[in-house]
C-alpha cells in the first residue's frame, strides 16, 4: 500500500466552545479540553451545593459535556427544558454546554471538567468516566433504551452530481477517491463509521478477516483529512471544500443538506450501523454540586414527546417509535443496520478495534 501523510485537522470556528488539541499520528491522544463557559460562576461554587447556593431568583447552573454535532440539538432543547423547569419549580436554570470529539470530551471530564451530565457519542466513552470513579455502576440502565434518548446512523455526504459515483462502502476503497472522516482515537462518529466499514466487509468477504483488514486499509489509505471530531470533519468537507466524500453522522449530513441544498447529496450505503449516543449523570460532580436531582430531570425530559420532536427536527432519530414515525420522510428507515451487540457490546468492540495495538492501529500502521 502506498504511504500517505495524513493531515490531522483541529476544530474550526464552529467548535468555539472548546479548546481542541490536534490529533497527532499514532499514540498521541487528542487533548480537546472542554472550556466551560461561565467558568467564574462554576468556580465560585467551589464544590458547594449549587441548589442551596441559588436562592429565590438566582439561577441554578448545570454543565452538559457533549460531543461535536449536538450543538444545535441542545441549543434548542436547553431552552424548552429551562421553560419546563421554571414552570415546575419556579427556579431559573442555565445549562452550560461543552462540545468536542466524544473521546476527548470524556477525557476532559476525567481530568477535571466539572460536568453534571455527559451526553456522548458512544457508551464506551461514558464507561471510561465510570471507570475513573465519577459515575456509579448501572448508569446504562438508569434511563430508557440503554440511556440512549436518540439514535443515528452513518451515511455518506457527497458533492452535487456525485462525480465519483459513490454508492456504497466499496466505492470508498477505489483509487482516486478522497475520503474525509474523523479520528477513532478521539471521535465517537469515527468509531461508529469504522464499525460500519467492518460490517460491510464482513458480509462482502464472508468473514475472511485478512480480506476485511485489507479492505478497511484501502479506505483509510484514501483518507485525506482526519479531524479530531465529527463537526471538524464536516467543516473540512463542507466549508473548506476538501475531499470527495464525508463519512458522516446521518444528522450531520442532513443538516448540511438543509443548509446547502444545491451543493450536496446524501448517499445511504447498503448496510450501516445503528448508532446509539448515550447519556449519564456524572454522580461524583452532581453530588458535590448538589445537582443530582436536576441533572436527572434534565436527562429524563429528553424522552418526553416535546423533546423527541426536537430530536427529530434536529435530524436525530427519536428513540420513541411513535415520534420516529412522524419523521419517516426524513430518515431512510429501510437501510440494513447492525447494532453494537453484533460486536459483543462496546467494551468488547473497543478492545477489539480501538484500544492500543488493536485492529484500527494495525490498519493505520500500514
Amino acid at each position: 500500500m502506498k504511504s500517505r501523510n495524513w493531515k490531522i485537522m483541529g476544530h474550526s470556528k464552529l467548535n468555539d466552545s472548546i479548546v481542541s488539541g490536534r490529533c497527532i499520528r499514532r499514540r498521541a491522544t487528542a487533548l480537546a479540553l472542554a472550556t466551560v463557559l461561565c467558568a467564574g460562576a462554576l468556580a465560585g461554587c467551589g464544590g458547594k451545593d449549587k441548589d442551596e447556593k441559588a436562592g429565590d431568583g438566582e439561577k441554578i447552573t448545570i454543565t452538559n459535556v457533549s460531543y461535536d454535532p449536538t450543538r444545535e440539538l441542545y441549543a434548542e432543547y436547553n431552552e424548552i427544558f429551562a421553560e419546563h423547569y421554571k414552570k415546575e419549580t419556579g427556579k431559573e436554570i442555565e445549562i452550560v454546554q461543552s462540545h468536542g470529539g466524544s473521546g476527548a470530551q470524556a477525557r476532559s471530564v476525567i481530568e477535571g471538567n466539572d460536568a453534571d451530565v455527559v451526553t456522548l457519542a458512544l457508551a464506551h466513552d461514558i464507561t471510561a468516566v465510570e471507570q475513573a470513579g465519577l459515575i456509579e455502576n448501572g448508569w446504562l440502565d438508569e434511563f430508557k433504551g440503554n440511556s440512549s434518548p436518540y439514535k443515528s446512523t452513518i451515511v455518506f455526504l457527497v458533492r452535487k452530481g456525485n462525480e465519483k459515483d459513490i454508492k456504497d462502502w466499496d466505492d470508498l476503497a477505489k483509487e482516486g477517491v478522497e475520503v474525509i472522516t474523523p479520528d477513532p482515537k478521539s471521535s465517537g462518529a469515527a468509531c461508529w463509521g469504522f464499525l460500519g466499514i467492518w460490517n460491510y466487509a464482513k458480509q462482502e468477504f464472508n468473514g475472511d478477516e485478512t480480506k476485511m483488514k485489507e479492505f478497511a486499509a484501502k479506505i483509510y489509505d484514501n483518507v485525506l483529512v482526519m479531524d479530531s471530531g465529527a463537526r471538524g470533519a464536516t467543516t473540512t468537507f463542507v466549508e473548506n471544500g476538501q475531499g470527495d466524500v464525508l463519512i458522516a453522522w446521518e444528522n450531520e449530513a442532513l443538516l448540511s443538506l438543509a443548509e446547502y441544498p444545491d451543493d450536496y447529496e446524501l448517499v445511504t450505503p447498503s448496510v450501516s450501523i445503528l448508532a446509539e449516543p448515550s447519556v449519564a449523570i456524572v454522580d461524583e460532580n452532581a453530588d458535590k454540586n448538589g445537582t443530582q436531582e436536576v441533572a436527572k430531570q434534565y436527562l429524563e425530559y429528553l424522552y418526553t414527546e416535546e423533546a423527541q420532536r426536537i430530536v427529530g427536527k434536529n435530524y436525530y432519530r427519536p428513540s420513541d417509535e411513535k415520534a420516529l414515525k412522524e419523521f419517516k420522510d426524513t430518515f431512510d428507515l429501510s437501510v440494513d443496520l447492525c447494532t453494537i451487540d453484533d460486536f459483543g457490546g462496546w467494551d468488547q468492540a473497543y478492545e477489539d478495534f480501538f484500544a492500543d495495538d488493536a485492529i484500527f492501529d494495525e490498519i493505520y500502521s500500514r
Side-chain angles (χ1 to χ4, degrees):
M1 178 175 297
K2 63 188 178 185
S3 174
R4 179 188 294 278
N5 292 321
W6 289 5
K7 182 180 179 185
I8 310 299
M9 300 292 290
H11 291 289
S12 73
K13 62 184 181 182
L14 292 177
N15 299 329
D16 53 359
S17 63
I18 62 167
V19 178
S20 92
R22 296 183 181 274
C23 291
I24 300 179
R25 195 169 186 235
R26 297 298 299 161
R27 294 276 59 85
T29 50
L31 300 176
L33 297 179
T35 299
V36 179
L37 306 178
C38 306
L42 289 171
C45 293
K48 295 181 181 179
D49 186 322
K50 290 182 184 178
D51 286 347
E52 291 179 358
K53 189 175 181 67
D56 291 342
E58 291 190 36
K59 286 183 179 178
I60 298 168
T61 300
I62 64 171
T63 300
N64 176 5
V65 171
S66 195
Y67 65 105
D68 264 336
T70 60
R71 299 167 189 272
E72 294 79 12
L73 169 61
Y74 281 110
E76 190 170 353
Y77 172 71
N78 289 347
E79 287 187 11
I80 66 118
F81 177 77
E83 292 172 3
H84 163 77
Y85 191 75
K86 177 67 180 293
K87 183 178 179 180
E88 292 293 312
T89 68
K91 294 182 179 179
E92 301 280 350
I93 185 168
E94 178 181 10
I95 299 96
V96 175
Q97 284 296 137
S98 172
H99 297 275
S102 185
Q105 290 292 79
R107 287 190 290 275
S108 80
V109 176
I110 293 168
E111 293 165 4
N113 189 335
D114 193 27
D116 299 281
V117 300
V118 284
T119 56
L120 298 177
L122 45 89
H124 180 79
D125 290 334
I126 297 182
T127 297
V129 182
E130 175 195 356
Q131 291 173 344
L134 299 175
I135 296 176
E136 294 177 1
N137 294 336
W139 67 266
L140 195 64
D141 299 319
E142 187 167 1
F143 302 100
K144 291 187 292 186
N146 291 327
S147 291
S148 178
Y150 40 82
K151 320 291 182 183
S152 191
T153 188
I154 300 298
V155 299
F156 308 147
L157 189 67
V158 299
R159 305 190 188 283
K160 200 72 171 181
N162 194 8
E163 183 179 341
K164 298 293 177 70
D165 195 29
I166 294 166
K167 297 177 181 178
D168 214 337
W169 294 103
D170 57 339
D171 295 313
L172 275 57
K174 292 179 179 177
E175 186 175 351
V177 173
E178 295 183 340
V179 177
I180 306 297
T181 184
D183 182 357
K185 292 295 185 179
S186 57
S187 167
C191 292
W192 289 112
F194 185 92
L195 295 181
I197 293 170
W198 198 257
N199 177 44
Y200 175 88
K202 185 176 182 179
Q203 296 184 33
E204 188 74 7
F205 301 108
N206 297 314
D208 185 326
E209 190 165 294
T210 298
K211 291 182 178 179
M212 292 160 67
K213 289 178 180 179
E214 290 174 351
F215 175 76
K218 286 181 181 179
I219 292 179
Y220 279 88
D221 188 52
N222 283 343
V223 171
L224 179 65
V225 177
M226 181 177 282
D227 292 88
S228 59
R231 182 53 60 89
T234 302
T235 299
T236 294
F237 185 75
V238 173
E239 293 192 9
N240 298 342
Q242 299 191 58
D244 301 307
V245 56
L246 171 68
I247 302 176
W249 286 111
E250 180 182 49
N251 54 283
E252 280 286 272
L254 288 169
L255 180 62
S256 297
L257 284 178
E259 293 180 343
Y260 306 100
D262 298 326
D263 297 332
Y264 301 99
E265 298 176 16
L266 186 150
V267 175
T268 302
S270 61
V271 297
S272 193
I273 186 166
L274 179 65
E276 298 181 295
S278 301
V279 303
I281 300 169
V282 184
D283 297 293
E284 181 78 11
N285 294 342
D287 288 343
K288 175 190 67 178
N289 296 330
T291 56
Q292 181 74 233
E293 185 56 36
V294 66
K296 183 177 181 180
Q297 292 179 47
Y298 177 75
L299 296 182
E300 283 181 338
Y301 201 73
L302 279 164
Y303 292 88
T304 64
E305 184 176 335
E306 180 182 24
Q308 288 288 292
R309 286 202 176 96
I310 289 175
V311 163
K313 281 172 55 183
N314 283 276
Y315 307 113
Y316 287 86
R317 299 184 177 209
S319 60
D320 181 77
E321 288 297 323
K322 180 181 177 182
L324 179 60
K325 290 178 181 177
E326 293 182 26
F327 293 92
K328 64 182 184 298
D329 295 333
T330 301
F331 307 112
D332 183 353
L333 302 180
S334 66
V335 62
D336 180 13
L337 299 177
C338 68
T339 73
I340 194 61
D341 291 339
D342 295 313
F343 296 89
W346 260 114
D347 289 345
Q348 187 64 53
Y350 193 86
E351 181 180 340
D352 290 344
F353 295 98
F354 309 115
D356 289 352
D357 301 319
I359 288 174
F360 176 76
D361 279 359
E362 179 185 345
I363 289 169
Y364 192 104
S365 66
R366 299 187 183 192

